[in-house]
Amino acid sequence: MNKMITVAIVDDHKILTDGLQRLIEGSGIAKVVGVAHNAADCRKFINFWKPDVLLLDVGLPDISGVDFCKELKERIPELNVLALTTHNEYSVVRQMLENGASGYLIKNAMTEEVLAGIQAVAGGEAFLCHEIDILMKRPKETHIWLSQREREMLKLVAEGLTNGEIADRIFLSPETIKSYRKNLLLKLGAKNTAVLVRMAIEKKLI
């Protein structure tokens, strides 16, 4: 009989983690050994869980999943990270894979794809769900889609406003603004705010 694959999940959406846990536990091929809703809790328990596969969200509340993936791989090189996220932008996928993720799933992936991804990365293979596989085979996309709110945010960032000033301007919390800013850096593949503003101007996003 094959050994059960042990899986840990790091995602801040409890409904999603509950659903994933049921799916994995009912698969007969894997079991969930731990769930964390932020990076801080994952750091505390990862050595206790010792999972074969870590399902990691890109959008965590306390750190970018892209940065956290790199941190975990430096700390535990043998850890197999499988990204599970709503982000399907080329630059985000590229950064996640460069930072050590073995696979990439988007949250609307079929049940079969989730289980196939877990099996593949547990066996030391790379895995991309169908939609991401197609995306990565295309020439790097030049068109970047931003929501109206993201464009508004980008314009205010370009004006040099701080997170607090932007929060006051558009009546959102500074934490929400911080999250938007991180997402913009990810979407455009920018290393910092200066690069973000330059790219936004070059690509005529503002």
Side-chain angles (χ1 to χ4, degrees), residues 136-176:
M136 300 311 280
K137 283 173 180 166
R138 281 189 217 139
K140 189 168 179 184
E141 293 176 321
T142 51
H143 179 69
I144 295 165
W145 185 86
L146 296 178
S147 67
Q148 195 56 45
R149 176 65 90 189
E150 284 171 329
R151 284 178 184 274
E152 184 183 6
M153 262 290 303
L154 199 50
K155 189 169 177 295
L156 294 171
V157 168
E159 285 174 20
L161 300 186
T162 65
N163 288 350
E165 288 166 340
I166 294 171
D168 290 343
R169 181 82 67 92
I170 58 178
F171 310 108
L172 290 172
S173 74
E175 276 307 304
T176 303

Side-chain angles (χ1 to χ4, degrees), residues 50-118:
K50 291 187 169 59
D52 298 318
V53 176
L54 182 72
L55 278 172
L56 177 62
D57 188 12
V58 170
L60 296 174
D62 48 352
I63 185 176
S64 154
V66 174
D67 294 336
F68 192 44
C69 179
K70 186 177 184 184
E71 177 192 321
L72 287 170
K73 288 295 287 184
E74 284 170 356
R75 190 170 136 194
I76 314 165
E78 69 277 13
L79 181 65
N80 298 304
V81 177
L82 179 57
L84 180 69
T85 176
T86 52
H87 285 282
N88 60 355
E89 295 86 20
Y90 182 97
S91 60
V92 180
V93 180
R94 185 82 270 152
Q95 285 178 74
M96 201 69 182
L97 297 176
E98 282 173 2
N99 283 359
S102 300
Y104 204 101
L105 287 166
I106 49 171
K107 286 181 179 175
N108 64 1
M110 304 288 282
T111 300
E112 295 79 9
E113 281 196 300
V114 175
L115 297 176
I118 288 169

Side-chain angles (χ1 to χ4, degrees), residues 1-57:
M1 186 178 159
N2 289 335
K3 172 185 168 285
M4 280 282 232
I5 299 165
T6 56
V7 179
I9 306 167
V10 186
D11 192 293
D12 62 333
H13 296 96
K14 191 172 185 308
I15 291 172
L16 182 92
T17 57
D18 288 351
L20 271 173
Q21 199 160 357
R22 282 193 299 273
L23 163 67
I24 292 164
E25 297 284 358
S27 70
I29 63 156
K31 62 179 180 179
V32 175
V33 291
V35 175
H37 298 296
N38 54 54
D41 285 346
C42 178
R43 282 190 196 102
K44 273 186 229 165
F45 299 115
I46 191 79
N47 287 328
F48 172 71
W49 295 333
K50 291 187 169 59
D52 298 318
V53 176
L54 182 72
L55 278 172
L56 177 62
D57 188 12

Side-chain angles (χ1 to χ4, degrees), residues 114-144:
V114 175
L115 297 176
I118 288 169
Q119 279 185 296
V121 302
E125 297 169 28
F127 183 88
L128 299 176
C129 69
H130 182 64
E131 184 179 322
I132 296 301
D133 190 40
I134 290 169
L135 171 74
M136 300 311 280
K137 283 173 180 166
R138 281 189 217 139
K140 189 168 179 184
E141 293 176 321
T142 51
H143 179 69
I144 295 165

Side-chain angles (χ1 to χ4, degrees), residues 154 158 188 195-206:
L154 199 50
L188 274 76
V195 176
L196 178 72
V197 171
R198 194 187 75 227
M199 289 176 74
I201 292 164
E202 283 172 2
K203 293 178 185 293
K204 298 182 170 53
L205 295 171
I206 52 175

